[in-house]
Amino acid sequence: DSGVTQTPKHLITATGQRVTLRCSPRSGDLSVYWYQQSLDQGLQFLIQYYNGEERAKGNILERFSAQQFPDLHSELNLSSLELGDSALYFCASSVGTGGSQAYNEQFFGPGTRLTVL
Amino acid sequence: QKEVEQDPGPLSVPEGAIVSLNCTYSNSAFQYFMWYRQYSRKGPELLMYTYSSGNKEDGRFTAQVDKSSKYISLFIRDSQPSDSATYLCAMTVGNAGNMLTFGGGTRLMVKP
């Protein structure tokens, strides 16, 4: 158990709908990262928040958005869902952001499996 | 072409064999190199990380980085059925963002 929690475990919805995925980081971790894992694209970085502020953005669609709240939990919002959005969505957390010449281990949660029908 | 390439396998070996897993990459700015293990329907867990070039050993696992060739390897000695999983290499430039770029993963099966 990494200490990162994600809810829900599974989500089944229809095209065009909107869903919210929730992540609670490990105690003491200030950074939250969101990743998408699909069969064709593999595990891809979406977005990072550090202490409530957006720090880095990857291949995140405009239909997707995220935020980190004062209690450090994070939510990933996916809207106008398409069949291709079906994937595993992972949240990871780390103590800091990582500075120059620094590395912060990222701990991954169990993921949310999203199925869009 | 993807930034990080990894043979998807599957790789099937008998118990006790030495396993070699590899990744190649194109971005010379990568400084930190990681290997994650992912069991079916679980989140990735970090096995090892290495900074820059060189070798690092941890029990039955050895990670190697050759930055001149843009090639990293993970060796597993005395492989066990419990090692059966998907192994993902990951890299980061180590800047303030710390975002990871993953290979596609290699599925390993260790048969008793």
Side-chain angles (χ1 to χ4, degrees), chain B residues 4-60:
Chain B
V4 181
E5 298 279 358
Q6 188 175 4
D7 189 329
L11 179 61
S12 181
V13 301
E15 183 175 354
I18 296 175
V19 175
S20 172
L21 303 166
N22 311 294
C23 287
T24 58
Y25 63 95
S26 57
N27 187 351
S28 57
F30 287 137
Q31 296 186 73
Y32 293 89
F33 303 89
M34 285 133 278
W35 286 96
Y36 281 82
R37 178 175 61 195
Q38 185 176 23
Y39 291 112
S40 182
R41 298 181 178 272
K42 301 285 187 183
E45 58 175 326
L46 182 68
L47 283 175
M48 300 181 70
Y49 85 90
T50 310
Y51 172 66
S52 195
S53 286
N55 294 358
K56 188 173 183 179
E57 191 172 319
D58 184 1
R60 297 185 296 112

Side-chain angles (χ1 to χ4, degrees), chain A residues 54-73:
Chain A
E54 181 184 306
R55 288 306 301 264
K57 224 169 186 177
N59 297 323
I60 187 166
L61 299 171
E62 284 192 12
R63 301 183 285 109
F64 296 1
S65 65
Q67 54 184 328
Q68 186 179 27
F69 294 87
D71 67 352
L72 301 177
H73 91 271

Side-chain angles (χ1 to χ4, degrees), chain A residues 21 32-36 44-49 54 56-67 74-79 85 89-90, chain B residues 99:
Chain A
L21 312 183
V32 168
Y33 309 78
W34 286 97
Y35 292 86
Q36 179 194 59
Q44 286 200 310
F45 169 76
L46 295 177
I47 197 164
Q48 178 205 358
Y49 279 81
E54 181 184 306
K57 224 169 186 177
N59 297 323
I60 187 166
L61 299 171
E62 284 192 12
R63 301 183 285 109
F64 296 1
S65 65
Q67 54 184 328
S74 178
E75 293 181 356
L76 180 67
N77 300 296
L78 314 177
S79 61
D85 298 326
Y89 291 85
F90 288 105
Chain B
M99 61 187 229

